[in-house]
Each structure stands twice: as C-alpha cells, then as structure tokens.
Amino acid sequence: MEVIAHWVKVHKTEPLGSFFVETEREIKADQETLRDVMRNLGVEESKVRQVGAWAAEKIGRARLIIAGDEPGNWDWCSRWKG
C-alpha cells in the first residue's frame, strides 16, 4: 500500500492521481473483504506472510525508485523480476 500511496502523492495534480486514489480505495476494500472472509472461516493472518508482503513491497518500491520517471527506464524495471 505504501507504493500506491507514494504514487497518489506524486501524481495528485494529474489525472493519473485520481486513478491511483481509486486503485488504493479498491485495494483497501478488497483487503477488508478478505479479512472478513478469513475471520468468518476462523483463519488467522500469517505473520510470516505479512512480513513477506511488507518486504516484497519495499523491494518493489526500490525497483520503481531505481527506474525513475524517465521514458525507457520502465523497460529495465519490468525485465528485472525476482
């Protein structure tokens, strides 16, 4: 979610900003729905998976920072898959 929040701030005055705001809202709603389903089924959230997701988001954000906003940089970023 930090990556989406970052792009909301970066593009807040552009039309793309509203896309990121809506995407962030939808992701949060989906997460809450998933938590409700898990709660109803008696399934607990895995701490290991939470840490893994956090680490994956940090790596993803680093990849975006390295790629920057220059045209052509995203080609390199999309080829670097972990």
Side-chain angles (χ1 to χ4, degrees), residues 59-60 62-64 66-67 74-82:
I59 291 168
R63 287 172 57 183
L64 293 173
I66 291 167
W74 286 93
D75 293 337
W76 173 83
C77 186
S78 65
R79 286 193 304 267
W80 183 41
K81 295 181 181 174

Side-chain angles (χ1 to χ4, degrees), residues 17-82:
S18 60
F19 166 77
F20 286 120
V21 167
E22 180 63 19
T23 300
E24 181 180 40
R25 187 193 64 73
E26 290 176 6
I27 291 171
K28 286 179 180 179
D30 289 348
Q31 287 178 330
E32 191 55 39
T33 299
L34 178 58
R35 284 188 183 105
D36 288 344
V37 169
M38 290 173 65
R39 207 171 9 260
N40 289 335
L41 294 174
V43 177
E44 293 185 25
E45 289 186 64
S46 165
K47 298 297 180 195
V48 172
R49 286 188 178 169
Q50 288 176 342
V51 170
W54 176 84
E57 185 171 12
K58 296 296 181 188
I59 291 168
R61 187 168 188 182
R63 287 172 57 183
L64 293 173
I65 291 169
I66 291 167
D69 292 334
E70 296 299 317
N73 286 351
W74 286 93
D75 293 337
W76 173 83
C77 186
S78 65
R79 286 193 304 267
W80 183 41
K81 295 181 181 174

